[in-house]
Amino acid sequence: MNLSLETLLARTGTEPDERTGGLAPAIHTATTYAQTSSDAEGAFIYSRLGNPTRQQFEESLATAEKGRHALSFASGMAAAMTLLQTLEPDDHIILPHDIYFGVRTLIAEHFIRWGLRVSTVDMRDLTAVEQAIVPNTRLIWAETPSNPQLTIVDLKALAALAHQAGARLVVDNTWSTPLITQPIVHGADVVLHSVTKYLGGHSDVLGGALVFAREDNLCHRAKALSDQGGAVLDPFGAWLVMRGMRSLAPRLRQQSASALAIAQWLETRGDVEAVHYPGLPSHSGHEIARNQMALWGGMLSFQVKGDAARAMHVVHKSRLFANATSLGGTESLMEHRASVEGLDSPTPENLLRVSVGLEHQNDLMADLDHALSV
Ligand SMILES: Cc1ncc(COP(=O)(O)O)c(C=O)c1O
């Protein structure tokens, strides 16, 4: 039967357990497995190399992303680190100008020392991307919507540019999740996730994943790094993420609907300078987003009229949005992103990033109204 993505997500890990019939996945905590002479290839040996609960999660995510193989990690950054470690000294990668600052910092502080060459471009400008490509370009790294300015990039066009150059396109799909965008369908070669966010969905599990469009050399190299480096997702973490995936669709639908209402309302306010949300017709990436996003998403950012102190004031006056980093949980969060990103942050000083939770949208708007007005 050809099942819709929502059905697949709702049933993540719920196949009846072969031994007990249990409809929730088991958490396999064994670190080592008795070996028999008849063991088939792929049998479990040692939990760093493979674990049944982790494998169940990886297979579910690979299916949801329409990929061939997934690997899961102890965090989104461990996934990013592993992917970068597949590269050689002197390899070149292209990063977007607006990107999760953790990835930018990891590359600047560690991978430049290792010999990686990096160009940073505004990927909305495809000519700029094309001009940045050099013979040893191996990866184009995209985020759409980007963190924290919600720029939208055209994945099909980026994939075409990458492939013409013999490079690969990796898409950090943490913000969209496969429910909103399946980058592999648009030509991406690798999808990266911080499963800490929407997939886990409850701010109680740290994890990451890489999904590969093909089981190719890159996939095998990342698997070897994972096996040997060992930054793998623990079984309880994998179980929590599968539990989160079962309710991803209704959570993200409500969060997207509330985020759209909040973005539309913020745009009407005189004390707000700009609202960044792909669901707004005024957003520069609105038309591309229409073609590549099934929902507009639960994240938005906005710039208050005024300086950093004014933006911080709004955060401190809010009573419902917790002043906390991270995103994708059931609780709404708001943070002054430039402070979190530190001195080199390219984020405007008056920008606030918002992760819309599951509270009633009217309560969220009343709270923002209060925070902006006092
Ligand atoms: C878009 C994006 N990618 C990657 C990460 C890193 O993930 P983790 O915190 O799970 O290491 C984050 C974390 O905020 C993120 O927002």
Side-chain angles (χ1 to χ4, degrees):
M1 203 168 27
N2 204 4
L3 297 175
S4 72
L5 178 57
E6 290 205 17
T7 302
L8 289 173
L9 285 168
R11 297 174 72 98
T12 304
T14 63
E15 281 299 307
D17 181 81
E18 273 178 22
R19 198 166 63 83
T20 64
L23 289 172
I27 306 176
H28 291 272
T29 57
T31 51
T32 190
Y33 299 82
Q35 303 298 302
T36 65
S37 52
S38 62
D39 274 347
E41 209 189 316
F44 297 104
I45 300 168
Y46 183 62
S47 202
R48 167 157 47 78
L49 312 177
N51 169 281
T53 315
R54 193 164 81 229
Q55 184 178 311
Q56 201 176 4
F57 160 59
E58 289 168 346
E59 287 172 358
S60 308
L61 183 62
T63 304
E65 284 288 6
K66 289 206 156 63
R68 285 301 300 274
H69 194 75
L71 298 172
S72 57
F73 296 89
S75 69
M77 288 312 296
M81 176 107 140
T82 302
L83 188 61
L84 291 166
Q85 284 173 335
T86 64
L87 299 169
E88 302 286 339
D90 262 340
D91 280 353
H92 174 255
I93 69 168
I94 305 179
L95 295 182
H97 73 301
D98 192 48
I99 178 171
Y100 171 57
F101 88 113
V103 171
R104 182 173 49 236
T105 311
L106 176 73
I107 291 170
E109 288 190 11
H110 303 286
F111 283 92
I112 299 285
R113 204 159 38 81
W114 149 310
L116 200 65
R117 317 249 163 199
V118 183
S119 301
T120 301
V121 300
D122 182 342
M123 290 191 182
R124 290 171 296 186
D125 180 353
L126 294 169
T127 311
V129 178
E130 199 168 3
Q131 284 169 353
I133 292 173
V134 292
N136 55 342
T137 301
R138 298 284 175 260
L139 274 189
I140 297 182
W141 190 293
E143 270 184 25
T144 184
S146 63
N147 181 356
Q149 300 192 52
L150 289 109
T151 53
I152 298 292
V153 293
D154 183 336
L155 293 181
K156 259 198 190 101
L158 284 179
L161 284 177
H163 296 159
Q164 263 164 36
R168 289 180 166 107
L169 176 66
V170 51
V171 178
D172 184 335
N173 203 31
T174 299
W175 279 31
S176 287
T177 83
L179 187 74
I180 293 183
T181 302
Q182 291 169 310
I184 289 172
V185 171
H186 297 278
D189 303 283
V190 187
V191 172
L192 184 145
H193 277 284
S194 165
V195 306
T196 315
K197 317 299 183 199
Y198 285 102
L199 295 179
H202 297 75
S203 306
D204 56 8
V205 55
L206 190 74
L210 295 173
V211 185
F212 297 87
R214 291 167 299 282
E215 250 186 291
D216 55 8
N217 279 349
L218 180 69
C219 174
H220 292 142
R221 194 139 191 201
K223 170 69 174 139
L225 279 159
S226 166
D227 284 355
Q228 291 155 30
V232 293
L233 185 62
D234 67 291
F236 184 49
W239 183 88
L240 277 171
V241 184
M242 283 192 277
R243 181 154 110 154
M245 284 169 73
R246 296 204 280 278
S247 61
L248 176 69
R251 279 189 284 113
L252 204 42
R253 281 197 186 290
Q254 180 172 330
Q255 287 163 327
S256 292
S258 299
L260 176 63
I262 293 169
Q264 285 167 336
W265 168 78
L266 281 171
E267 212 178 26
T268 64
R269 290 189 66 105
D271 47 7
V272 170
E273 188 180 284
V275 184
H276 308 290
Y277 188 68
L280 297 175
S282 59
H283 188 283
S284 65
H286 184 67
E287 284 312 313
I288 297 171
R290 254 186 199 296
N291 293 326
Q292 90 191 7
M293 298 179 80
L295 298 167
W296 302 119
M299 296 297 297
L300 64 99
S301 61
F302 66 100
Q303 291 170 249
V304 297
K305 276 197 180 138
D307 57 7
R310 167 74 190 142
M312 298 287 259
H313 174 82
V314 174
V315 174
H316 292 137
K317 288 294 169 194
S318 163
R319 294 168 296 195
L320 269 185
F321 291 82
N323 176 16
T325 199
S326 203
L327 56 111
T330 58
E331 70 293 344
S332 291
L333 308 176
M334 174 158 59
E335 69 175 349
H336 182 246
R337 199 62 197 158
S339 311
V340 173
E341 294 179 353
L343 280 182
D344 297 333
S345 167
T347 302
E349 61 158 7
N350 59 348
L351 182 138
L352 296 176
R353 192 187 79 179
V354 174
S355 171
V356 177
L358 292 179
E359 304 90 343
H360 197 286
Q361 67 184 48
N362 292 350
D363 292 335
L364 294 174
M365 282 189 273
D367 182 57
L368 279 177
D369 184 38
H370 164 82
L372 282 160
S373 309
V374 291

